[in-house]
Amino acid sequence: MFSLPKNVTLIEVGPRDGLQNEKNNIPTEVKLSFIQALHDAGIKEMELTSFVSPKWVPQMKDAQEIVQRVRKNGRQLVLTPNKKGIHAAINAGAESLAVFVGVSDTFNQKNIHCSTSESVTALRPLIQQVKQDGHYVRACISTAFHCPYEGFIRPEQTVALCRQFVEMGVDELSVADTDGMANPLASHSLFSNLKTQFPEVLITAHFHDTRKMGIANIYASLQAGVNRFDTSAGGLGGCPFSPGATGNVATEDVLYLLQSLHIETGIDLTGICLAVDEVAPYLSRPIETAMYQLYKREQLERKE
């Protein structure tokens, strides 16, 4: 008989991963209101923004202003693809950094224009330095299950890449089903392996809901002992370098699952829906997650 975690941490990625692929330009003030509402709902760990080239990801052009103006609350991560991004983030006042590498060489080339091994080689001295300087470092492992260009990824490839980052001294591994091709068996197997091999590192599961398997994969990962998940309020998201990848698994839908299993998160579901209200009018597509739609229907019924 399996046992589930009693407590789970949800790392909210809506402000960064959720908005990076949004076609409409979201005003900085709206992003800040969205972030504050998420904090008000009980979120303690969050991806705020990314220090990437505005040429490639124009939505993140206000990264410096976001970091400098946001109210400090819990662990606030910023994504940094390279030396330039890391230095810009630190100069803006960021304390917690996230780096990212794809297991797939092809994905990595399309994303950051170098191979996986070249990325690891370039990041190694940077990670070691920022760790010495006292920064928290998260390594985001993309295409951990499948690549839209290369197909299915062998689990040993993902584990080997994770091991390299563990040896560099990262605090956390965020292991991502980038294009939503994982299934519960594969999720349980990979995360069981990672939890066993790297007990000293925080292991976070990051699922996209492209094929509506996100909740099933999260449940399988809970059974494997995972107690940290990246989620996105409103199911926002998608990867600009992964054709067809839709949003991340929705924070509000994951919360409902966890609440039904009596797993504590410290996060208020209605508060998450209120946060989605802050950004929804500015988006190019409607929010269609189950719990947000239920929340909106209940609002209408109260008005009638």
Side-chain angles (χ1 to χ4, degrees), residues 251-288:
T251 304
E252 58 271 25
D253 290 351
V254 176
L255 272 175
Y256 180 76
L257 169 69
L258 297 174
Q259 288 177 1
S260 72
L261 297 172
H262 306 290
I263 296 174
E264 294 293 330
T265 64
I267 302 169
D268 178 64
L269 197 157
T270 300
I272 294 296
C273 292
L274 289 168
V276 176
D277 281 342
E278 294 288 336
V279 73
Y282 300 88
L283 301 173
S284 59
R285 64 176 180 86
I287 302 296
E288 297 177 338

Side-chain angles (χ1 to χ4, degrees), residues 120-141:
V120 171
T121 299
L123 285 170
R124 182 173 285 109
L126 297 171
I127 289 172
Q128 291 170 343
Q129 183 60 56
V130 296
K131 282 301 299 173
Q132 287 178 16
D133 294 340
H135 293 279
Y136 180 95
V137 178
R138 152 191 258 221
C140 300
I141 310 299

Side-chain angles (χ1 to χ4, degrees), residues 103-171:
V103 182
S104 154
D105 269 328
T106 307
F107 180 84
N108 224 57
Q109 288 282 3
K110 290 183 179 291
N111 199 347
I112 48 180
H113 312 294
C114 58
S115 70
T116 299
S117 62
E118 288 169 341
S119 294
V120 171
T121 299
L123 285 170
R124 182 173 285 109
L126 297 171
I127 289 172
Q128 291 170 343
Q129 183 60 56
V130 296
K131 282 301 299 173
Q132 287 178 16
D133 294 340
H135 293 279
Y136 180 95
V137 178
R138 152 191 258 221
C140 300
I141 310 299
S142 302
T143 60
F145 294 88
H146 183 271
C147 168
Y149 310 103
E150 296 183 10
F152 284 98
I153 301 294
R154 290 180 291 112
E156 52 267 33
Q157 289 178 265
T158 299
V159 173
L161 181 57
C162 288
R163 180 173 288 108
Q164 292 185 70
F165 281 102
V166 171
E167 291 170 352
M168 291 180 214
V170 300
D171 300 281

